[in-house]
Every structure is written in C-alpha cells, then in structure tokens.
Amino acid sequence: MKFIVSSSSLLSHLQIVGRVIASKNSLPILDCFLFELQEQTLHITAADAETRMLTSIDVSGVEGSGLVAIPARNLLDSLKELPDQPVVFDINEENLEIKVSYENGKCNFMAQKGEEYPQAKVLSETATQLSMAASTLLSGISRTIFASADDELRPVMNGVFFDITTENITIVASDGHMMVRYKALAAQGTEKASFILPKKPANLLKNILPKEAGDVSIAFDESNAYIKLDNFFLICRLVEGRYPNYNAVIPVDNPYKVSVDRQLFLNALKRVSVFSNSATSLIKLDISSQEILISAQDIDFSTSASETVSCINQGQEMIIGFKGTDLINIFNNIPSSEAVFELADASRAGLILPSENEASEDLLMLLMPMMLND
C-alpha cells in the first residue's frame, strides 16, 4: 500500500487527533495512529481506553488499500522537523515495514496490524439524537469547563453536564464550590434527556471547535456519545451517574446588586491575589456605596496588598471573602464589559452575571464565599 500526502497537512491532522493518546496506555497498540487507506482518502484514528477521534485527509499516488497501526511518536517527531513538502508512504503489508521518503531523505520503522486496533463502541438503537451550532457548543463548553472538578470520590462532577429539553439546552459544570450554568436558548432537543461529557473529550472539542462551522451532530445512549463535526468525529465514554440538581443551589433572592467594570476588576484582582495565602487564595471584598476594596494577605510571609475599584452598589455595604483563583476564572469567562454581583449576605452563595447576555445565551456563575478571620 502506497500514497503521497502533504507533510504539513498530515502533521496538523495528527497533532489534533493525537491529543487523545494517553501518556500511559494499557494496550501498547493505543500508542499508534490507525491509518486506513480507501481510494483517495486516508482515514486517521487515535484512541485511548475511553475516547476516540477520527479524521480524514485527501492523498494522491494511491496504490492499494489497507489498514495499519503506525507508532505515533515516530511519525509526529519526524514530521515536526520537515518543511511543507510531499511525503511518500510505502507500507509493506506482509512484514509491516513502513518506508517514508521525502525530498532529501527517508526513514523506516515497523508498524502493527491494524486489525488488532480496538473497535469503536456501538450505540444502542434507542440513542438520543440532537444537533446544535458549532459556535453554540464551543461557547457552552468554554464558559463552563473551568468549573468542573477533579474529584475521584464524586466522578459525576468531573465533567460537563448537558441538560436537554424541547425548549433549550443547558450546560453546567461545578466543583461543589463554584458552578457555571450556560443556557443555549437557540438549541433544543426533540425530547428531555441528559448526559455528562468527561473533561478530556470536552477539552478536545474546545480545541477543535473554533475551526469548525455549521452544525454538530450528537448521538448518545446510557454509556457512550458520538459527536460528529465537519472534519472530525469524536466517540467517547460518558460519565455514568446522576448529576446533582444544579437549580436547587441557585439562590433566588439576592437583593443586593453590585456592578463593576469586568476588565478593571479582573486586573486589580490579579495584582492583589499575588499576595494572598497560597493555600487558601483568600480575597476579601469590602463593598461600599461607590467602590470595592480588594485586599489579600499572607501572614506567614508578612505580605499584603489592596486596591480599590469603582462600582455601582444598589444595596448595603458588605464585607465578603472569595477564593481568588475561582474569582479570576469566573471573570476571565464573562463575555460582557460589565459584571454584576448579586449578593444576600457574607455567608450565602453569590451570583456573578454578565451585565448583558450574548444573543440566545443565558449565563450564570455561582461562587460560595469563604470565612473571614476578622
């Protein structure tokens, strides 16, 4: 089997799907890319034990067809150093020797039998189907994934929850202290359903969706999901379990509203947080009628910092503490120029909202306060 392909085009596809390959695999063959040559198209697959991504690329000079597993490291490391040029792959299907030749050189290494590569999981006949714009899915994942947990005891929190109704699709992530709820008002399903997308495939989608256009087709059953884009096809195992009732933790009566310039507040927050305690990352907000005093200190190292930011406070004065790293993540992911705190008191969860939502979006972020020593 033989074909010719552009080195830069092949490398870009391999680098994207190669993110699926785990650093340590239980099956050695999963350290390989699966190449399947059919007529003028090369189909490329990368997988780990739970996630699988496929893509395809046009090739020329095709002789024969077949299936072979090629070591990912050998292929990626050699292609990275090549300028854009045609590369000839000549694969001996009997002894699985691969000869790769290019303008000023060649290399050869051994492959493995493609038939030994694990097969994709098949969805049940009762799988739920839905479709949504690539830009909507990207916004939903990008706005929420940072809030997901890394908790071995509660695996359901280690992913992004999709709550699908006939009216909209709600995407949620939470680590128990912080929660983000993103409603895609322009997307909906044909029936009520839900699934939890693990963090790894969610991050893979976050990286490839910016280059995609059109709609994304999603099909899922109790265990697996098929996500089809224009140029890529992702198959993954879903997180099994029941996601907590996220609506129940959202406070419905937060009478005090404080508006701030998002970027000014974020910049001040970053500067002050440098001096917070590294273990707690505690930031204190002293909210008055027209300004917020942002302060932090680390008693162990005798360091402290404070900075004021103007605000519009529609409630009473208040002192409240938050985890600085969480607050920075939240403000980094608010799309509007102004953000609004909705607060009740220093012991209850605060809501942080964009002053104006994007069209067809409803974004809400929740953060639990921290106890202040003084």
Side-chain angles (χ1 to χ4, degrees):
M1 141 176 143
K2 187 175 181 180
F3 61 89
I4 302 171
V5 64
S6 160
S7 61
S8 60
S9 181
L10 177 61
L11 177 62
S12 65
H13 282 73
L14 293 178
Q15 285 176 325
I16 292 172
V17 299
R19 295 190 182 104
V20 177
I21 299 174
S23 56
K24 293 182 180 179
N25 281 306
S26 54
L27 296 174
I29 200 169
L30 290 178
D31 292 327
C32 299
F33 291 111
L34 180 65
F35 277 21
E36 183 175 7
L37 185 62
Q38 293 180 334
E39 297 180 346
Q40 303 294 314
T41 304
L42 176 65
H43 301 279
I44 305 169
T45 301
D48 66 7
E50 297 186 339
T51 309
R52 187 183 191 96
M53 189 181 287
L54 299 84
T55 189
S56 58
I57 185 173
D58 292 335
V59 296
S60 60
V62 175
E63 295 180 14
S65 61
L67 194 67
V68 65
I70 301 180
R73 177 171 294 179
N74 287 354
L75 202 52
L76 285 170
D77 289 351
S78 58
L79 286 172
K80 280 177 188 174
E81 308 306 325
L82 274 182
D84 185 23
Q85 59 182 279
V87 177
V88 180
F89 282 76
D90 192 349
I91 303 167
N92 187 322
E93 295 179 71
E94 293 183 3
N95 63 11
L96 297 176
E97 182 184 14
I98 300 175
K99 295 180 181 178
V100 181
S101 56
Y102 43 92
E103 186 177 351
N104 296 313
K106 62 182 180 179
C107 59
N108 62 288
F109 45 91
M110 300 304 295
Q112 298 186 50
K113 291 182 179 178
E115 291 77 14
E116 296 177 358
Y117 203 84
Q119 297 293 309
K121 301 293 184 182
V122 179
L123 290 181
S124 67
E125 294 181 359
T126 57
T128 302
Q129 311 249 358
L130 66 107
S131 178
M132 61 194 303
S135 57
T136 301
L137 181 58
L138 174 61
S139 293
I141 292 175
S142 300
R143 302 272 186 242
T144 58
I145 191 170
F146 73 90
S148 59
D150 291 298
D151 188 343
E152 293 181 0
L153 299 178
R154 294 204 298 171
V156 294
M157 308 297 282
N158 300 342
V160 178
F161 178 61
F162 284 70
D163 190 3
I164 301 153
T165 69
T166 55
E167 296 177 350
N168 57 59
I169 295 176
T170 302
I171 303 172
V172 180
S174 175
D175 63 2
H177 301 283
M178 169 176 54
M179 187 191 79
V180 182
R181 186 199 69 188
Y182 173 93
K183 279 188 179 182
L185 305 176
Q188 56 276 136
T190 56
E191 59 183 306
K192 187 172 177 56
S194 63
F195 66 90
I196 305 171
L197 184 69
K199 190 176 293 189
K200 181 173 181 176
N203 272 315
L204 290 168
L205 287 169
K206 181 182 173 182
N207 286 323
I208 62 177
L209 280 168
K211 299 178 182 178
E212 295 288 315
D215 288 347
V216 178
S217 299
I218 302 174
F220 62 95
D221 57 17
E222 295 80 6
S223 302
N224 298 282
Y226 280 24
I227 303 173
K228 191 175 188 309
L229 298 84
D230 285 346
N231 301 304
F232 297 93
F233 185 31
L234 181 68
I235 301 172
C236 67
R237 183 171 181 82
L238 299 173
V239 179
E240 296 183 18
R242 186 181 181 87
Y243 202 79
N245 182 357
Y246 59 90
N247 282 316
V249 301
I250 300 174
V252 294
D253 184 21
N254 279 335
Y256 308 124
K257 294 178 173 56
V258 182
S259 301
V260 295
D261 181 291
R262 186 193 69 85
Q263 195 61 58
L264 290 177
F265 185 87
L266 176 60
N267 292 341
L269 192 59
K270 287 178 178 178
R271 289 189 289 268
V272 171
S273 66
V274 173
F275 299 90
S276 65
N277 182 284
S278 58
T280 63
S281 187
L282 173 63
I283 293 288
K284 182 169 75 171
L285 304 182
D286 188 342
I287 305 169
S288 60
S289 59
Q290 294 184 338
E291 65 181 24
I292 300 176
L293 176 64
I294 307 169
S295 61
Q297 65 175 342
D298 189 344
I299 298 173
D300 296 337
F301 292 94
S302 299
T303 62
S304 64
S306 63
E307 194 165 331
T308 57
V309 175
S310 60
C311 71
I312 300 174
N313 183 4
Q314 299 178 23
Q316 66 182 17
E317 296 184 355
M318 184 184 302
I319 299 176
I320 190 169
F322 289 113
K323 187 173 182 179
T325 50
D326 288 347
L327 206 52
I328 288 171
N329 277 328
I330 284 176
F331 271 78
N332 267 326
N333 286 278
I334 289 179
S336 66
S337 60
E338 286 192 355
V340 179
F341 285 93
E342 292 192 0
L343 305 168
D345 59 60
S347 62
R348 289 180 57 188
L351 298 182
I352 304 168
L353 314 169
S355 59
E356 292 183 3
N357 276 296
E358 299 278 328
S360 303
E361 293 182 1
D362 182 9
L363 180 65
L364 176 148
M365 303 193 182
L366 177 148
L367 187 58
M368 296 297 297
M370 295 180 70
M371 184 177 296
L372 296 172
N373 294 326
D374 50 357

